[in-house]
Amino acid sequence: MSSNSHSKKWAVVIGISKYKHSEENGLDSLVFADEDARSFSRALRNMDWSKNHIKLFTNQEATKRNIQILNFRG
């Protein structure tokens, strides 16, 4: 598949392994969510997705504000 076939596709990939309020109200952290998100982003790149069309947020980067101000350039 050529990169042109993905020119109209965008991905926001979020993986949070350590929650701010883990251990409260029975909320457990997820051990590999951040690495799974990184792996998924790499898989998209391996399928010829443009790096500019993939936004990856892990752990502390995955904030409401960062997602709201998300801006794709490409």
Side-chain angles (χ1 to χ4, degrees), residues 7-13 44 49-57 66-74:
S7 64
K8 294 182 181 180
K9 295 181 181 182
W10 305 86
V12 178
V13 183
L44 292 175
W49 280 57
S50 169
K51 184 178 179 179
N52 294 331
H53 285 218
I54 303 167
K55 293 295 182 182
L56 171 65
F57 296 107
N66 282 346
I67 294 166
Q68 287 176 324
I69 63 173
L70 183 62
N71 184 17
F72 284 101
R73 297 187 192 273

Side-chain angles (χ1 to χ4, degrees), residues 35-47:
E35 187 53 41
D36 288 344
R38 286 185 200 95
S39 294
F40 187 74
S41 293
R42 283 191 298 273
L44 292 175
R45 290 288 294 131
N46 289 338
M47 293 187 301

Side-chain angles (χ1 to χ4, degrees), residues 8-50:
K8 294 182 181 180
K9 295 181 181 182
W10 305 86
V12 178
V13 183
I14 301 170
I16 303 171
S17 290
K18 297 179 182 178
Y19 292 101
K20 181 177 180 180
H21 301 286
S22 66
E23 308 300 324
E24 295 176 14
N25 300 318
L27 179 64
D28 294 327
S29 291
L30 300 174
V31 180
F32 299 110
D34 53 353
E35 187 53 41
D36 288 344
R38 286 185 200 95
S39 294
F40 187 74
S41 293
R42 283 191 298 273
L44 292 175
R45 290 288 294 131
N46 289 338
M47 293 187 301
D48 294 326
W49 280 57
S50 169

Side-chain angles (χ1 to χ4, degrees), residues 53-64:
H53 285 218
I54 303 167
K55 293 295 182 182
L56 171 65
F57 296 107
T58 58
N59 298 315
Q60 294 87 357
E61 301 167 341
T63 65
K64 180 179 177 180

